[in-house]
Amino acid sequence: MVVGAGAWCGWRGRGAAALLAGVCGLWTVCVGGCASAPPDARLMRAAAGGDFGAGRLRALENVTDARRDAGDYVLDRLRLGVLALADGEPRAAGRSLDEAYEVLRTQGVNEDKTVASAVLWEGVRTWKGEPFEQAMAFVYVAALHAQEGDWGNVRAAAGNSLFYLRDFGRGRSSADVIREAQRRGDDGLDRGYAAVQSDFALGYLLHGVASRQMGRAEEARDYFRAAVRAQASLQGLAERLESGGDNALFIVDFGLGPEKIATGPDGAIASFRARTESDRAQLAVLVDGRRESFPAAADLNEMSRDLRWNNLEDLRRAKSAIGDVLLLGGAAAGAYGASENKKEVALAGAGAAVAGLLLKAGARADTRHVEVMPQRVYLAPARVGPGQTVTLQVDGRPGSRITLSGLDAARAMQPGSGGLLVRYIRLPVDGRGGDGGGAILYANDATPDPANLGERRLPYILGGNCVRSPTSEALRSYQLAGYLRGMTLGELQELYRAEGIRVYEGFSGGPSPGLHILEGGDSLFVPLPGTAGFSRLFGRVHAPYVPRSEAVRRLAAEIRAGVSAPALLVGDGAGAETPSSALPAGRSPQ
Amino acid sequence: MRTFAFILMLGLLAASCAAPPARTTRLRASDFEVSAAEMAQSLAASEWLAGRTAASEPARVVTNKVENLTTDVITPAEQWMVVARAVSALPITELGRAKNISFQLPPERVADLRAAGFPTELAPEDRATHVMTATFRSSTRLARLASGLTDARKEYYQVEYRLTDVRTRELKWTGLFEFAREARGKLVD
């Protein structure tokens, strides 16, 4: 363009070429500057690799704006909610999903931004997502409450995911729709469609489960039938869920959802392309040697390609067309004015060209999306006995394998859940660190006495494999094992304070924890038992703890050496202190 | 003329100060405050309380279950807050004194409410003679007012209380209280 401008310069004069070059330069800046931020590659790597702790913290960094009308308010919170759910961290998941839900249930969020988005860029609007993203957001709210056994709210959230869809006719493209709208003179696409019932089978199934758990059998039957009408392959699953013979239900996400990209003239058309390809692979569930398989209940690739599950981009194409007219006309007028030394014409032409450029830049599609949404969702009921583990894997995807542990503890936490334990599980696409086979290698507040613990009943920070909170019960267990005799609870807690470790108890309220000390962080907490986060933390061997304080370093070294520190010598009643022979010889956990 | 201008200004000021239309029909705990007086009236008129006086055998009513059957997510804390506000409201406590009735909540709920800052004087459950349940329901009406898309939503909420004698399992009283919330703005936006 600049070369062309230069050639033209020789012919019509410097002013005209300079003006044209300036307009073209401004166009480049506008188009580049108004583009949506690219998807967060770190978040996607974390989601795909099963590093949900790191992903959760990365997403938490982005949740900065407290204003509900901020552009990315809902987007940031959904990212965090999805990853926190995956990590088994209900505090962050609950808060972020509640806040996102509040805005999704608010009407007319962008009414004051209509002009700005039309003139400038779609991205000034508060993002609320495509309809399929909104439906999935309600699914995550339902999953959150299902894990708490709060069936009334599961029912409400699942019901919210089943909103009516706009059907402009099967087999029609967005281009077909906009041409017809333009013929009608309808810019807002307010006509020409039929409001149809949702075909979101996953929403119907979750509603059916909740209704059944609340004793509303007839209502449950209606919803299970609706799920089968939407997706016939779910017949067997629906019948199984309706029968109510299981005591566990897993809501399982897999893959990375479709990427939203800008295509077409001036990038005006938003479309989706798959990151994880769709296929018919079933979810294999292995419990106590019994293997079952279940089909996917939702495929986000398919939903993103369905016009009914999209906001329509035709308006952006129309804006782009308007922008082209202004740009060409304005640049031509500006050049003419400059060449004929008609300043007013030149300036007006340049102004029109700039306006045209801005409109073209504003016509670029808003490509913001929740990049950590899954490609597909499974529902897997199971009958899990005491002490049993559950292994999940997508057929043909060995990297997705996860064995869940702590399910007994999970059940003990939920009295009155109607007998059905629900867990949300995000399977990795390419799980690093392997599947621990369901073993619990570190004692924790939920499972303080796992069978695999061995003799190293000592705090992890002192070289053991216990990551319980420093409580009197924990200290008693260490002392019964022969360690830390004579130490008081205050002294034990002081060791954690010296290391800068923050202890989080329970699963609700208060700030969200950071990275767990087992993964090199400074937080001591327990993910929800029975989640991928729980298995990842307590089912794999982690690197030995590296003390930061002199006190812990010295004590750990003494324990390793099998020598008692003076503070830990057992008194013999005669006033003399002697080393205790009951202290086991030190042994590295590795 | 000056008077007219003054009146016009007052009108403009009033218009500008008018509350903007609500954007959500989500339930708030405070929405049910108006029902406490109605609840007391309904209880007082019930057959169960007809013969009771301050000297009657103590009745200890425990609300042991709240259920959300609305179309909206209402956290358990909010649900229990609605009940706690209702049974600790002045009309109810006065009625309780007059008829020797105490209203109680499960101990874990009392602890949760206090932790949430609710200044409840309700005692934790103790030898209940009656149990009460509270059920929240709603129905939704949608409309297109200013545009071709649905841009108005009205939610009709109900809370139903049911009080049952623990020994006889006899239903002693039911109360149904309603109110509506309306919001404007495109639902898709």
Side-chain angles (χ1 to χ4, degrees), chain B residues 72-85:
Chain B
D72 196 13
V73 171
I74 310 170
T75 65
E78 285 175 322
Q79 294 175 49
W80 282 100
M81 192 81 76
V82 168
V83 172
R85 282 176 188 261

Side-chain angles (χ1 to χ4, degrees), chain A residues 407-440:
Chain A
L407 293 169
D408 290 345
R411 193 170 299 285
M413 283 168 54
Q414 272 190 277
S417 66
L420 186 68
L421 174 72
V422 177
R423 282 295 179 261
Y424 166 82
I425 307 295
R426 179 71 177 257
L427 297 182
V429 177
D430 176 23
R432 290 182 279 277
D435 171 41
I440 300 176

Side-chain angles (χ1 to χ4, degrees), chain B residues 166-185:
Chain B
V166 167
R167 275 182 302 124
T168 65
R169 300 188 189 281
E170 195 182 338
L171 181 65
K172 291 295 191 181
W173 170 77
T174 64
L176 190 68
F177 308 100
E178 304 174 331
F179 74 97
R181 285 187 69 96
E182 187 173 352
R184 299 290 176 89

Side-chain angles (χ1 to χ4, degrees), chain A residues 244-249 382-385 411 419-422:
Chain A
D246 299 289
N247 65 357
L249 177 67
R383 184 107 205 130
V384 184
R411 193 170 299 285
L420 186 68
L421 174 72
V422 177

Side-chain angles (χ1 to χ4, degrees), chain A residues 177-246:
Chain A
V177 171
I178 186 53
R179 267 188 229 109
E180 188 162 318
Q182 284 175 335
R183 274 199 295 273
R184 286 197 308 265
D186 173 18
D187 282 339
L189 293 175
D190 291 348
R191 289 170 286 161
Y193 66 88
V196 297
Q197 279 198 319
S198 174
D199 63 349
F200 190 41
L202 177 61
Y204 287 117
L205 287 176
L206 286 173
H207 197 302
V209 169
S211 299
R212 199 196 174 284
Q213 289 300 304
M214 296 173 76
R216 299 169 67 84
E218 286 189 18
E219 181 182 88
R221 185 172 309 126
D222 288 343
Y223 278 89
F224 287 130
R225 284 179 181 164
V228 175
R229 277 198 301 275
Q231 188 177 327
S233 63
L234 296 174
Q235 173 88 39
L237 175 62
E239 287 171 357
R240 172 86 172 260
L241 291 171
E242 188 175 354
S243 71
D246 299 289

Side-chain angles (χ1 to χ4, degrees), chain A residues 114-403:
Chain A
T114 307
V115 172
S117 70
V119 172
L120 295 176
W121 173 49
E122 284 278 337
V124 301
R125 297 164 64 87
T126 298
W127 182 94
K128 287 183 81 175
E130 302 285 346
F132 76 89
E133 290 172 302
Q134 292 184 11
M136 282 301 297
F138 292 125
V139 164
Y140 289 121
V141 174
L144 178 75
H145 290 284
Q147 292 191 140
E148 298 165 358
D150 181 5
W151 295 110
N153 282 328
V154 176
R155 178 178 175 273
N160 274 278
S161 77
L162 299 171
F163 43 82
Y164 275 75
L165 306 173
R166 291 191 294 171
D167 190 350
F168 288 88
R170 293 297 183 117
R172 307 184 74 197
S173 67
S174 56
D176 295 334
V177 171
I178 186 53
R179 267 188 229 109
E180 188 162 318
Q182 284 175 335
R183 274 199 295 273
R184 286 197 308 265
D186 173 18
D187 282 339
L189 293 175
D190 291 348
R191 289 170 286 161
Y193 66 88
V196 297
Q197 279 198 319
S198 174
D199 63 349
F200 190 41
L202 177 61
Y204 287 117
L205 287 176
L206 286 173
H207 197 302
V209 169
S211 299
R212 199 196 174 284
Q213 289 300 304
M214 296 173 76
R216 299 169 67 84
E218 286 189 18
E219 181 182 88
R221 185 172 309 126
D222 288 343
Y223 278 89
F224 287 130
R225 284 179 181 164
V228 175
R229 277 198 301 275
Q231 188 177 327
S233 63
L234 296 174
Q235 173 88 39
L237 175 62
E239 287 171 357
R240 172 86 172 260
L241 291 171
E242 188 175 354
S243 71
D246 299 289
N247 65 357
L249 177 67
F250 301 100
I251 304 170
V252 183
D253 280 0
F254 173 73
L256 282 177
E259 179 185 10
K260 191 174 184 181
I261 56 174
T263 61
D266 305 318
I269 300 176
S271 62
F272 287 87
R273 69 181 169 201
R275 286 195 181 103
T276 300
E277 294 296 333
S278 300
D279 57 42
R280 297 200 182 280
Q282 300 208 329
L283 176 73
V285 181
L286 198 66
V287 181
D288 193 36
R290 299 188 315 270
R291 188 186 193 280
E292 295 185 279
S293 296
F294 301 96
D299 183 332
L300 271 64
N301 287 344
E302 284 184 11
M303 293 174 82
S304 68
R305 286 191 291 264
D306 187 333
L307 212 56
R308 294 173 300 165
W309 285 105
N310 277 261
N311 294 318
L312 299 175
E313 305 83 19
D314 12 81
L315 291 181
R316 293 187 208 93
R317 179 183 282 199
K319 280 192 294 183
S320 178
I322 294 169
D324 275 328
V325 169
L326 279 177
L327 178 60
L328 291 172
Y336 170 74
S339 68
E340 300 294 322
N341 287 320
K342 289 185 173 143
K343 183 178 173 183
E344 297 78 10
V345 174
L347 287 173
V354 167
L357 281 172
L358 286 174
L359 273 174
K360 283 179 69 68
R364 188 170 180 80
D366 180 1
T367 55
R368 291 178 292 175
H369 62 286
V370 183
E371 59 272 74
V372 294
M373 284 255 180
Q375 179 265 310
R376 68 187 77 165
V377 187
Y378 299 92
L379 284 188
R383 184 107 205 130
V384 184
Q388 291 178 341
T389 58
V390 175
T391 299
L392 305 171
Q393 180 183 325
V394 175
D395 284 341
R397 305 268 197 161
S400 68
R401 186 183 181 93
I402 275 184
T403 299

Side-chain angles (χ1 to χ4, degrees), chain B residues 25 41 46 80 128 143 151-152:
Chain B
T25 57
Q41 277 181 2
S46 68
W80 282 100
D151 58 1

Side-chain angles (χ1 to χ4, degrees), chain B residues 34-104:
Chain B
V34 295
S35 70
E38 298 171 57
M39 187 177 174
Q41 277 181 2
S42 175
L43 269 169
S46 68
E47 221 176 286
W48 175 51
L49 295 189
R52 289 191 65 90
T53 66
S56 298
E57 192 179 329
R60 290 177 289 275
V61 180
V62 173
T63 304
N64 66 349
K65 182 184 176 188
V66 293
E67 190 173 48
N68 177 19
L69 292 179
T70 72
T71 55
D72 196 13
V73 171
I74 310 170
T75 65
E78 285 175 322
Q79 294 175 49
W80 282 100
M81 192 81 76
V82 168
V83 172
R85 282 176 188 261
V87 300
S88 60
L90 192 58
I92 299 292
T93 54
E94 282 183 346
L95 180 68
R97 272 193 288 273
K99 304 288 185 176
N100 200 9
I101 304 169
S102 63
F103 289 89
Q104 303 167 347

